[in-house]
Amino acid sequence: AANTPVHSFDFWRACVAEARGLGPGREGDKCQLFYHLFGFLKEYEPECLNTGLGRSGEGTGRSKIRRGSWKEQERQKGLRVLSEMAKEVGDFPGDVFANKAVEGALKGMFGFASGGPI
């Protein structure tokens, strides 16, 4: 059998499944799972966490943009800038966390939309 690559979203889906398997409560354990996943992904496949905007506001990856121009356009439209992984896996699994503050922090870490302008 041919080797098939393992992508960041495969680890994401495994983490979500594990967190759901922990059942209700256990927010600390679930948060720790996602925190460790984030640290791992920063080393394993950091481009999956990119939103297309670097620290200076310039594009990273596929396209270059003028400083802040695209981000400002998105802000005016009321849209969020999504990471590559968020685009791949879809919505954040809101059913996993009862604490919405924790959920919001994790959405930000992984580059998921949390509603409203940036």
Side-chain angles (χ1 to χ4, degrees), residues 45-104:
E45 195 175 339
E47 59 275 5
C48 75
L49 301 171
N50 288 347
T51 59
L53 297 175
R55 284 187 185 171
S56 66
E58 294 181 11
T60 59
R62 298 184 191 129
S63 64
K64 297 286 181 185
I65 57 172
R66 278 196 338 255
R67 182 178 175 91
S69 62
W70 183 73
K71 187 174 181 180
E72 184 57 33
Q73 289 172 11
E74 294 300 298
R75 183 175 296 170
Q76 289 172 2
K77 291 180 199 173
L79 300 175
R80 300 284 300 178
V81 178
L82 299 176
S83 69
E84 293 302 315
M85 184 174 6
K87 291 174 189 174
E88 178 68 35
V89 300
D91 294 333
F92 187 87
D95 61 306
V96 172
F97 293 96
N99 184 324
K100 295 306 172 190
V102 169
E103 179 183 329

Side-chain angles (χ1 to χ4, degrees), residues 4-16:
T4 53
V6 179
H7 298 284
S8 57
F9 49 85
D10 296 319
F11 291 107
W12 171 263
R13 289 182 180 116
C15 184
V16 170

